[in-house]
Amino acid sequence: MGQLIYGGEVLDLRIDDRALTHLQIVIVNMLRRDHRFVFSWKDPVTRGDGRSSIWLHPNANLHFDFDGSRAPSINRTWLEQLYASALSGSGLVLTPEPPDTSTGADSQWSSAVSPGSDLDS
């Protein structure tokens, strides 16, 4: 279980390393293209079972803290879902991992992160 540290503050959010890796890829690629967006998650029952959100922007102080040392394989279908969520009016929301149905280089995510591409297209 990894953690996301925002502005030097450890968020009350424990995420398994696999999910945190996918979030990191989406968040970093969005921020390096100067996008600003909301990231929301469901709070644990011990905190009232509500939800929390943070505003992410290119100057945000983020630290992704992984428990494990190995990077997991990447599910492009999940990246595409998270990417679409980040671009939506609701912002980035962590969803459960779907089966990977991507076809490789022709996927929306592949074209979105290719050099010279624009995430808004």
Side-chain angles (χ1 to χ4, degrees):
M1 297 295 275
Q3 293 181 311
L4 182 61
I5 301 167
Y6 179 74
E9 183 179 330
V10 177
L11 301 176
D12 190 11
L13 172 68
R14 298 290 293 175
I15 307 171
D16 71 77
D17 282 1
R18 182 167 177 74
L20 188 57
T21 297
H22 284 76
L23 285 173
Q24 178 187 28
I25 292 168
V26 172
I27 290 170
V28 167
N29 277 287
M30 293 287 289
L31 295 178
R32 65 187 269 244
R33 287 172 171 78
D34 208 28
H35 286 268
R36 291 148 176 82
F37 55 99
V38 171
F39 170 48
S40 301
W41 64 90
K42 189 173 180 335
D43 293 327
V45 175
T46 56
R47 241 188 109 215
D49 205 24
R51 59 188 174 93
S52 295
S53 298
I54 54 174
W55 179 247
L56 295 173
H57 55 88
N59 295 324
N61 182 7
L62 291 174
H63 176 94
F64 298 87
D65 184 21
F66 298 91
D67 279 343
S69 61
R70 293 181 183 214
S73 62
I74 301 303
N75 178 333
R76 289 185 178 275
T77 300
W78 200 10
L79 286 179
E80 289 181 12
Q81 286 182 0
L82 294 170
Y83 161 69
S85 172
L87 289 175
S88 75
S90 301
L92 177 59
V93 177
L94 180 59
T95 56
E97 182 174 4
D100 190 354
T101 59
S102 67
T103 57
D106 62 344
S107 71
Q108 178 183 359
W109 179 256
S110 294
S111 61
V113 297
S114 296
S117 68
D118 182 36
L119 287 174
D120 291 324
S121 58

